[in-house]
Amino acid sequence: MFAAARPASVAAAAARRGFASSAAARKNVVVIGAAGGIGQPLSLLLKLNPQVSRLALYDIVNTPGVAADLSHINTPAKVTGFKGAESLPAALEGADVVVVPAGVPRKPGMTRDDLFNTNANIVKGIGEAVAKYAPKAHVLIISNPVNSTVPIVAEALKKAGAFDPRRVFGVTTLDVVRASTFVSEIKGTDPEKTKVTVVGGHSGVTIIPLLSQ
C-alpha cells in the first residue's frame, strides 16, 4: 500500500508542519471518524508524527481494529480505539487537538445541500461533546461541506460557553495540495516545491487559486 521508504519522509514532513518542535509539546490527539476513508489514512499520518503522544481513534464501528493495526507502528504515540457514542467522552478526555473527518462523503449526484442535511447533525453533536469534555482543545473540521460545518461547530461551542475563535479551524489543505499538483504537472516542476495559495473557503462558487502569486 505504501512504499517502504515513504513513512520516514512522511514523518519528517509531519514534524516540519506539525504542532511544536519540543518533546515537551507533544499532543494528545483525537480523530473522530477514524474508521472512514479519510479517517484511516489520517490516523496513520498522525501515528507517524513524533509530536503526538496519545492518539485516540473514535468512530461508531471498526475503530478497535484500526487502532490495533496502527499500534504496531514503531513510533511513540500510544493508540487507543473507541467505538460507539458511549465511548466518546473517554476518547475526548485530555485532548489537545480534535480532528473531525466524521460524516458521509459527497457521492455522485449529491449537492452540497444534500451533504449538509446529512452531516449537520453529526458535527453538531460532536461540537457539543467537545464543549463538554474537551473545551480547551483545538478543533479541526474536515467534514463537508466545510463552509457550513465549521459554523455549526462554532455555534455549538458558543452555546456551551466554550467557543474560542483561535481554536476552531476548517481544514482545506486538500485544495492547496491539489492546486500545487495540477500546476506542477503543467509546468513540469517538483510538486512538493510548487506552492499555490488558495483562498475563498471550500466551495466551488468562492474558491480561488492565486496563480499570480
Side-chain angles (χ1 to χ4, degrees):
M1 183 176 177
F2 298 98
R6 188 61 177 164
S9 63
V10 170
R16 289 195 301 270
R17 300 171 184 170
F19 308 110
S21 58
S22 66
R26 291 174 63 199
K27 303 296 184 181
N28 292 338
V29 180
V30 181
V31 179
I32 299 181
I38 292 179
Q40 289 195 42
L42 171 64
S43 298
L44 171 63
L45 293 174
L46 287 167
K47 179 67 169 90
L48 294 171
N49 191 310
Q51 301 305 323
V52 176
S53 58
R54 170 185 176 259
L55 183 58
L57 307 183
Y58 170 84
D59 213 320
I60 56 175
V61 293
N62 299 333
T63 34
V66 175
D69 287 343
L70 294 186
S71 69
H72 299 162
I73 297 173
N74 59 337
T75 56
K78 182 178 179 181
V79 185
T80 308
F82 297 87
K83 184 178 74 171
E86 68 282 355
S87 68
L88 184 55
L92 288 170
E93 183 178 357
D96 298 302
V97 178
V98 179
V99 190
V100 186
V104 300
R106 188 176 181 183
K107 300 175 183 177
M110 286 183 71
T111 66
R112 290 194 177 274
D113 288 341
D114 296 332
L115 197 62
F116 172 82
N117 291 334
T118 302
N119 287 344
N121 284 333
I122 296 174
V123 297
K124 177 176 180 289
I126 292 169
E128 291 169 347
V130 169
K132 186 173 182 179
Y133 300 109
K136 299 299 183 182
H138 291 80
V139 186
L140 284 63
I141 310 299
I142 301 174
S143 308
N144 273 317
V146 171
N147 286 17
S148 300
T149 54
V150 170
I152 290 172
V153 172
E155 289 302 317
L157 293 170
K158 286 178 183 178
K159 187 174 181 180
F163 178 66
D164 182 342
R166 299 167 298 179
R167 295 177 181 269
V168 181
F169 307 86
V171 179
T172 58
T173 308
L174 173 63
D175 302 318
V176 176
V177 171
R178 280 175 172 166
S180 298
T181 299
F182 298 158
V183 170
S184 68
E185 288 176 350
I186 294 170
K187 297 179 66 176
T189 56
D190 183 345
E192 290 190 335
K193 296 180 180 178
T194 303
K195 306 301 180 186
V196 180
T197 300
V198 180
V199 300
H202 189 65
S203 168
V205 177
T206 61
I207 190 169
I208 301 174
L210 301 182
L211 300 177
S212 63
Q213 303 301 310

